[in-house]
Amino acid sequence: MHNKTDEFSPLTLAFVGDGVYDLLVREYLVRQANRPVGELNKVKVAMVNCRSQAQFAAKLMPHLTEKETAVYKRGRNAAPKSTAKNGTVAEYHSATGLECLFGYLHLNGEQARVEELFGLIVGLVFGNDKDMVKYL
């Protein structure tokens, strides 16, 4: 199945996906507890950095469809202009792949799938408890 988003560059998809993923993290954390913004930001940064995103991407791989895996790999294999600041080049590429996937799904209106994959990530970070307060 071919659609318009297949024509976007993987870095364009990652640009959108970065914002989508960041908003999902922020919204999740705010809904969990009314905490000072500085504390919320500490947890957010831990979930949004390239090292964490690379780990999440690796854990999500078995749950991705064939198409989603292809989109992830397009993003991972893209040649970004910037370099990794807080991780290895491989982690940065993997994080770009994850962002590409989130951007692709979002632009295709697949919000339920975005939320399902994000739910898997939350489960990886917080386990069955999903209460972020103890992580602050």
Side-chain angles (χ1 to χ4, degrees):
M1 182 171 132
H2 181 76
N3 58 46
K4 178 112 172 105
T5 53
D6 288 331
E7 297 173 14
F8 291 137
S9 82
L11 296 179
T12 298
L13 294 172
F15 173 77
V16 172
D18 177 54
V20 169
Y21 180 78
D22 189 79
L23 184 58
L24 286 165
V25 169
R26 288 171 187 252
E27 183 177 340
Y28 176 79
L29 295 176
V30 166
R31 289 181 185 278
Q32 294 307 303
N34 185 15
R35 306 297 263 174
V37 172
E39 291 180 17
L40 293 169
N41 195 55
K42 270 195 282 190
V43 177
K44 185 214 50 125
V45 168
M47 290 183 70
V48 174
N49 70 60
C50 77
R51 181 165 285 133
S52 294
Q53 286 182 327
Q55 291 171 350
F56 301 150
K59 298 284 189 180
L60 286 180
M61 291 306 292
H63 303 280
L64 300 181
T65 66
E66 191 175 314
K67 177 63 179 179
E68 291 167 347
T69 299
V71 169
Y72 164 79
K73 287 180 178 179
R74 276 183 60 213
R76 183 196 63 197
N77 296 335
K81 299 286 184 219
S82 55
T83 58
K85 295 178 193 109
N86 298 312
T88 67
V89 171
E91 288 169 337
Y92 188 76
H93 282 271
S94 187
T96 302
L98 182 70
E99 292 170 350
C100 180
L101 175 60
F102 273 86
Y104 178 85
L105 292 170
H106 175 77
L107 290 172
N108 278 318
E110 296 182 44
Q111 195 60 30
R113 184 62 172 155
V114 167
E115 291 173 14
E116 179 182 355
L117 293 177
F118 184 72
L120 290 171
I121 290 171
V122 167
L124 293 170
V125 175
F126 300 113
N128 294 332
D129 189 342
K130 300 209 182 14
D131 178 10
M132 57 69 91
V133 174
K134 65 184 172 194
Y135 297 91
L136 294 174

